């Protein structure tokens, strides 16, 4: 007791002598009050702490706090809340870290020591400082303790977090946690329900940083939590579907938006662009042509008044699955303060004066695709329907420029047969091409056709080069690219089948489809293939089968046929934790570290504690009966050390 009293007196003297240090927030020096040695040391330290906090002297406050905590533990809630609040005002990340660590430690000992207001202020400061990991720790702590954040505050925090890749990873995992918590306890009025804007912020950042698989998971959770998708959500969802090659899902979205008002047409340009992109990836040129025709007719006869009450229900996955998910969408509502987080540029669809059109890139792909399939009559019809004789002339001109003279001639003939003859200039360009290529017989045939049509040409007249140089260049690019695509169209089709079978829990058909992909020489499974398969096994708690899939993934990565993504590996870690495969857990985590991927250790820890809280807590490797059990104990110990479980 004597030593303790001396320690306190020495601490007070030290604080008194240093109280004139420069303040972090205030230049005002606080003169120490006259010490009353009859008062208890605890009261004195408490008074010194209150004074330092009142004047924002964080250095002094920290020194006093350390002494107080060492002697008496945490101070009462009023001082703790003031302490956390004052430190939250700091722009120094070191002080913010201290406030974060202490607040969570205090809550662990006594949930009433720090209130929601103080934690909210700290949370906002951490988020603004881009300390995403600390901010997410506070979010998870508040969720666990039942503290409910207002939607505006949560949106602001998440908006700061998703500016970075790590923050996006943490925000998406937190949103998953919130959704599961809401679905478990949704009858409880104190449970926070995620809203549309929150989903839009996180989904948009998933698109921006390439977490398309996590994006797909969030879309399904959006349906499960009965959150209505607005106009922003629909566009972001279309980006996720395009990245994952899910054409059927995108087609349902297109049908869902129906005839939106003309003022919203350009907003949905990205959706049409994504669908057209998938039509080309699936190598379905006929479907792409029909979509182009539909896009160009969209601007006609559209309503000009919004029906804000319009809400539609769309299936997520095949509508043939009785127990499938359904999501509600409201295409004509655009939430304010909702950040898309996706690039607004489009590759295939243009928009001007509230009217949609197609780019030269689209035209080049259509011309190349129809030419490759020797279906020029359909191309001719499409071109005239979309852009009349002007567009047809541009395409014929480009065909001549790349040496496709007979194709240009065929388009001319198709247009004449349809009663849409071209002008003399276009004929002369084709004729000039024949002469330059010394295709004299073809030239003679064309001259006879021109004479019959009453088109007289003077060979001495100058013929201009191709006017649409961009179209010509893009057509050359398509020709050079040829069949060289990153993912063969057949694989997109097989992945679509795999997705249907997995969502329908048709395990046998799903495995058969997966094996079919494996056996094909020209293709190998993609990350989407493995995600779909792992998701099915996870829903059936078939964790052993996931270890087999992991073996396939490792082989494909080793042969450089597969580039794994963070969201796929993270899903494997979570499922191996649930199944108790700790050697695989550490293996995947090691793989992520090697590739420089972020590991959400706090999420792993929570998952472990839910399923294996007391696993091998006291057992040592020396106590194991078999070698396999000894290794398992070591892997569990390694994991517990990694996530900070003592």
């Amino acid at each position: 007791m004597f030593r303790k009293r001396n320690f306190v007196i020495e601490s007070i003297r030290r604080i008194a002598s240093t109280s004139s240090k420069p303040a972090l927030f205030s230049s005002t020096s606080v003169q120490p009050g006259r010490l009353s040695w009859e008062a208890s040391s605890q009261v004195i330290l408490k008074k010194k702490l209150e004074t330092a906090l009142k004047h924002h002297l964080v250095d002094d406050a920290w020194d006093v706090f350390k002494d107080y905590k060492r002697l008496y533990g945490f101070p009462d809630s009023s001082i703790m809340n003031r302490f956390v609040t004052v430190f939250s005002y700091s722009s120094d990340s070191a002080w913010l870290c201290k406030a974060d660590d202490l607040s969570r430690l205090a809550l662990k000992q006594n949930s009433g020591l720090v209130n929601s207001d103080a934690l909210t202020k700290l949370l906002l400061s951490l988020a603004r400082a881009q300390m995403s990991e600390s901010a997410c720790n506070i979010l998870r702590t508040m969720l666990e303790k039942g503290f409910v954040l207002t939607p505006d505050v949560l949106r602001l925090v998440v908006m700061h977090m998703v500016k970075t890749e790590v923050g996006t990873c943490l925000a998406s995992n937190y949103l998953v946690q919130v959704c599961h918590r809401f679905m478990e306890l949704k009858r409880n009025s104190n449970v926070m329900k995620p809203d549309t804007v929150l989903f839009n912020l996180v989904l948009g950042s998933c698109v921006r940083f390439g977490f398309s698989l996590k994006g797909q998971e969030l879309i399904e959770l959006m349906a499960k939590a009965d959150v209505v998708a607005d106009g922003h959500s629909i566009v972001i969802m279309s980006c996720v579907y395009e990245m994952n090659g899910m054409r059927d899902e995108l087609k349902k979205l297109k049908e869902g938006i129906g005839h939106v008002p003309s003022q919203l047409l350009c907003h949905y340009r990205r959706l049409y662009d994504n669908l057209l992109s998938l039509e080309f990836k699936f190598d379905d040129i006929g479907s792409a042509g029909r979509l182009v025709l539909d896009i160009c007719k969209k601007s006609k006869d559209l309503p000009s008044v919004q029906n804000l009450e319009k809400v539609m229900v769309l299936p997520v996955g095949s509508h043939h699955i009785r127990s499938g998910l359904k999501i509600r969408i409201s295409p004509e509502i655009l939430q304010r303060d909702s950040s898309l987080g996706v690039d607004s540029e489009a590759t295939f669809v243009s928009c001007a004066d509230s009217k949609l059109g197609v780019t030269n890139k689209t035209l080049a792909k259509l011309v190349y695709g129809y030419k490759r399939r020797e279906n020029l009559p359909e191309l001719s019809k499409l071109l005239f329907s979309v852009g009349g004789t002007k567009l047809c002339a541009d395409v014929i001109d480009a065909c001549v420029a790349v040496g496709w003279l007979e194709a240009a001639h065929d388009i001319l003939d198709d247009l004449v047969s349809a009663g849409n003859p071209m002008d003399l200039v276009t004929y002369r360009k084709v004729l000039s091409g024949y002469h330059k290529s010394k295709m004299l017989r073809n030239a003679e045939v064309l001259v006879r056709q021109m004479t019959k049509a009453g088109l007289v040409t003077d060979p001495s007249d100058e013929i201009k080069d191709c006017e649409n140089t961009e179209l010509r260049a893009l057509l050359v690019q398509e020709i050079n690219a040829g069949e060289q695509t990153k993912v063969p169209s057949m694989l997109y089709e097989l992945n679509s089948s795999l997705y249907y079978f997995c969502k329908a829990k048709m395990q046998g058909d799903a495995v058969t489809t997966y094996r079919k992909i494996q056996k094909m020489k020209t293709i190998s499974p993609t990350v989407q293939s493995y995600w779909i398969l792992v998701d099915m096994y996870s829903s059936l708690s078939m964790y052993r089968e996931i270890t087999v899939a992991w073996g396939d993934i490792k082989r494909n990565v080793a042969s450089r046929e597969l580039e794994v993504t963070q969201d796929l590996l993270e899903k494997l870690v979570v499922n191996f934790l649930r199944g108790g495969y700790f050697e695989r857990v550490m293996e995947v985590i090691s793989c992520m570290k090697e590739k420089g991927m972020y590991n959400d250790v706090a999420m792993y820890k929570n998952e472990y504690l839910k399923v294996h809280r007391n696993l091998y807590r006291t057992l040592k490797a020396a106590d194991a009966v078999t070698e396999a059990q000894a290794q398992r104990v070591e892997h569990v110990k390694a994991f517990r050390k990694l996530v900070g479980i003592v």
Side-chain angles (χ1 to χ4, degrees):
M1 185 66 186
F2 177 74
R3 288 181 179 178
K4 182 175 181 181
R5 186 181 299 111
N6 281 348
F7 174 78
V8 174
I9 293 172
E10 188 59 37
S11 297
I12 294 171
R13 285 174 177 167
R14 174 169 51 81
I15 294 163
S17 65
T18 60
S19 61
S20 59
K21 287 181 182 178
L24 187 61
F25 300 113
S26 171
S27 60
T28 305
S29 179
V30 179
Q31 296 299 326
R34 186 178 182 131
L35 296 178
S36 173
W37 300 111
E38 296 178 358
S40 73
S41 60
Q42 185 173 3
V43 172
I44 295 171
L45 284 174
K46 182 179 177 181
K47 194 175 182 79
K48 297 295 297 181
L49 182 55
E50 288 174 339
T51 303
L53 291 173
K54 180 180 178 181
H55 294 276
H56 289 253
L57 300 172
V58 291
D59 293 279
D60 291 350
W62 178 249
D63 287 338
V64 180
F65 180 85
K66 285 191 298 182
D67 292 336
Y68 189 101
K69 184 176 179 297
R70 189 181 300 116
L71 293 169
Y72 308 109
F74 284 105
D76 59 44
S77 60
S78 62
I79 293 182
M80 275 303 299
N81 287 322
R82 180 65 180 158
F83 182 87
V84 172
T85 299
V86 168
F87 275 61
S88 299
Y89 295 148
S90 174
S91 58
D92 189 335
S93 60
W95 291 124
L96 291 175
C97 277
K98 284 182 170 65
D100 171 36
D101 293 339
L102 283 172
S103 60
R104 286 189 290 117
L105 183 60
L107 286 171
K108 198 171 184 180
Q109 292 188 12
N110 183 347
S111 59
L113 274 179
V114 185
N115 63 26
S116 178
D117 288 342
L119 284 175
T120 300
K121 290 171 185 173
L122 175 59
L123 175 60
L124 286 167
S125 296
L126 291 168
R128 290 191 190 102
Q130 287 298 301
M131 299 171 66
S132 298
E133 194 166 3
S134 295
C136 195
N137 285 336
I138 294 291
L139 282 173
R140 285 167 168 160
T141 299
M142 295 181 77
L143 183 65
E144 182 184 339
K145 299 295 181 183
F147 295 152
V148 179
L149 285 167
T150 64
D152 287 342
V153 169
L154 185 55
R155 291 169 189 169
L156 186 58
V157 170
V158 170
M159 185 182 70
H160 285 294
M161 289 177 65
V162 298
K163 292 177 181 177
T164 65
E165 186 172 328
V166 170
T168 296
C169 174
L170 290 164
S172 59
N173 288 339
Y174 169 73
L175 184 52
V176 170
Q177 189 178 352
V178 169
C179 289
H180 287 309
R181 185 67 172 262
F182 169 73
M183 289 183 288
E184 289 170 5
L185 306 170
K186 56 185 173 183
R187 291 184 180 180
N188 188 336
S189 59
N190 291 326
V191 176
M192 177 178 59
K193 178 181 179 179
D195 62 13
T196 305
V197 176
L198 190 61
F199 269 101
N200 289 350
L201 287 167
V202 180
L203 275 171
S205 65
C206 285
V207 170
R208 190 166 65 252
F209 291 109
F211 297 148
S212 64
L213 304 177
K214 179 65 76 172
Q216 180 63 33
E217 181 182 0
L218 291 175
I219 291 171
E220 294 178 7
L221 281 173
M222 199 172 185
K224 290 177 181 177
D226 196 30
V227 176
V228 178
D230 71 350
H232 291 307
S233 314
I234 293 168
V235 173
I236 303 171
M237 288 164 63
S238 77
C239 294
V240 173
Y241 289 149
E242 194 278 335
M243 294 167 76
N244 290 331
M246 303 177 75
R247 180 173 64 162
D248 291 340
E249 300 301 304
L250 236 175
K251 283 183 175 180
K252 284 183 286 188
L253 276 185
K254 172 183 171 290
E255 294 302 317
I257 65 174
H259 294 285
V260 295
S262 56
Q263 60 265 37
L264 287 179
L265 202 54
C266 285
H267 170 77
Y268 286 109
R269 175 183 65 163
R270 187 66 186 270
L271 182 148
Y272 290 108
D273 192 88
N274 287 327
L275 180 52
L276 194 50
S277 171
L278 282 186
E279 297 292 10
F280 289 132
K281 286 181 178 179
F282 275 73
D283 201 22
D284 192 343
I285 203 68
S287 185
R290 289 188 292 274
L291 178 58
V292 165
L293 197 58
D294 184 44
I295 288 170
C296 293
K297 288 181 177 180
K298 275 287 178 186
S299 302
K300 302 175 182 178
D301 303 322
L302 286 176
S304 59
V305 180
Q306 291 178 306
N307 176 16
L308 297 180
E309 300 300 321
K310 179 183 176 184
V311 176
M312 296 188 63
V313 178
L314 296 179
V316 177
S318 175
H319 63 277
H320 295 297
I321 303 174
R322 291 182 180 179
S323 59
L325 292 172
K326 297 186 185 299
I327 189 168
R328 292 193 295 152
I329 67 168
S330 185
E332 297 177 16
I333 291 181
L334 300 178
Q335 298 274 2
R336 290 190 304 170
D337 305 320
S338 181
S339 174
L340 266 176
V342 295
D343 187 1
S344 60
E345 292 183 6
T347 305
F348 302 109
V349 181
S350 61
C351 187
D353 300 324
S354 297
K355 293 181 180 180
L356 295 179
V358 293
T359 63
N360 282 324
K361 178 76 171 177
T362 302
L363 293 173
K365 282 190 168 292
L366 288 171
V367 172
Y368 177 75
Y370 278 111
K371 166 73 166 53
R372 187 158 52 90
R373 287 164 181 74
E374 299 181 353
N375 193 4
L376 292 176
E378 282 300 314
L379 174 64
S380 304
K381 288 180 189 176
L382 176 64
L383 293 174
F384 187 80
S385 299
V386 170
T389 55
K390 173 65 172 67
L391 180 59
C392 294
D394 284 347
V395 170
I396 291 171
D397 201 4
C399 288
V400 171
V402 300
W404 287 355
L405 299 172
E406 291 176 316
H409 197 162
D410 288 343
I411 294 173
L412 275 174
D413 291 345
D414 293 334
L415 292 169
V416 170
S417 299
N420 304 306
M422 299 299 293
D423 58 17
L424 175 61
V425 174
T426 304
Y427 275 93
R428 289 190 62 230
K429 287 184 178 179
V430 179
L431 183 60
S432 175
Y434 278 145
H435 283 301
K436 288 180 181 178
S437 301
K438 301 188 184 306
M439 300 173 66
L440 301 182
R441 288 188 178 181
N442 299 71
E444 290 174 3
V445 172
L446 184 59
V447 169
R448 285 197 295 270
Q449 290 176 329
M450 293 170 67
T451 303
K452 185 177 179 180
L455 300 173
V456 181
T457 181
D458 184 353
S460 63
D461 290 345
E462 182 182 355
I463 298 175
K464 295 181 180 179
D465 291 332
C466 178
E467 295 179 8
N468 193 336
T469 55
E470 184 186 36
L471 177 58
R472 178 183 62 185
L474 289 169
L475 186 54
V476 170
Q477 184 178 317
E478 287 298 318
I479 296 168
N480 292 336
E483 299 290 337
Q484 297 176 7
T485 53
K486 289 185 178 180
V487 181
S489 57
M490 174 63 73
L491 186 50
Y492 285 108
E493 296 282 0
L494 289 171
N495 273 349
S496 295
S497 299
L498 183 64
Y499 179 71
Y500 169 76
F501 292 136
C502 286
K503 286 300 176 185
K505 303 293 191 295
M506 298 168 67
Q507 182 189 344
D509 293 306
V511 172
T512 300
T513 304
Y514 171 67
R515 296 302 177 203
K516 185 177 180 180
I517 296 173
Q518 283 187 311
K519 289 177 182 178
M520 297 184 75
K521 295 181 180 179
T522 57
I523 61 176
S524 59
T526 62
V527 288
Q528 284 78 19
S529 310
Y530 287 115
W531 173 276
I532 294 166
L533 196 65
V534 169
D535 190 58
M536 178 190 70
Y537 286 141
S538 178
S539 66
L540 298 171
S541 299
M542 300 175 68
Y543 302 113
R544 185 179 180 279
E545 283 70 13
I546 297 178
T547 65
V548 176
W550 168 235
D552 292 343
I553 291 171
K554 286 192 292 183
R555 282 189 290 273
N556 283 333
V557 169
S559 62
R560 298 189 177 180
E561 293 178 353
L562 179 71
E563 187 67 36
V564 288
T565 60
Q566 178 170 321
D567 37 11
L568 175 61
L569 294 178
E570 189 176 77
K571 190 176 186 71
L572 288 168
V573 172
V574 170
N575 278 282
F576 288 149
L577 277 172
R578 291 172 184 169
Y581 291 93
F582 287 92
E583 184 177 0
R584 302 286 84 79
V585 167
M586 299 307 294
E587 197 173 70
V588 180
I589 289 175
S590 176
C591 176
M592 293 176 72
K593 287 181 178 179
E594 288 174 6
K595 294 181 178 297
M597 297 175 179
Y598 178 75
N599 275 289
D600 190 353
V601 175
M603 182 187 69
Y604 301 161
K605 180 179 180 179
N606 290 339
E607 198 66 40
Y608 173 87
L609 293 175
K610 281 195 295 186
V611 187
H612 309 289
R613 179 175 291 272
N614 296 314
L615 183 65
Y616 298 157
R617 193 168 186 176
T618 56
L619 187 65
K620 298 179 181 178
D623 300 325
V625 178
T626 64
E627 179 65 24
Q629 191 180 33
Q631 290 180 356
R632 178 174 164 81
V633 170
E634 290 301 322
H635 291 309
V636 173
K637 285 174 63 179
F639 176 79
R640 290 172 66 95
K641 181 180 179 181
L642 173 72
V643 300
I645 300 175
V646 180

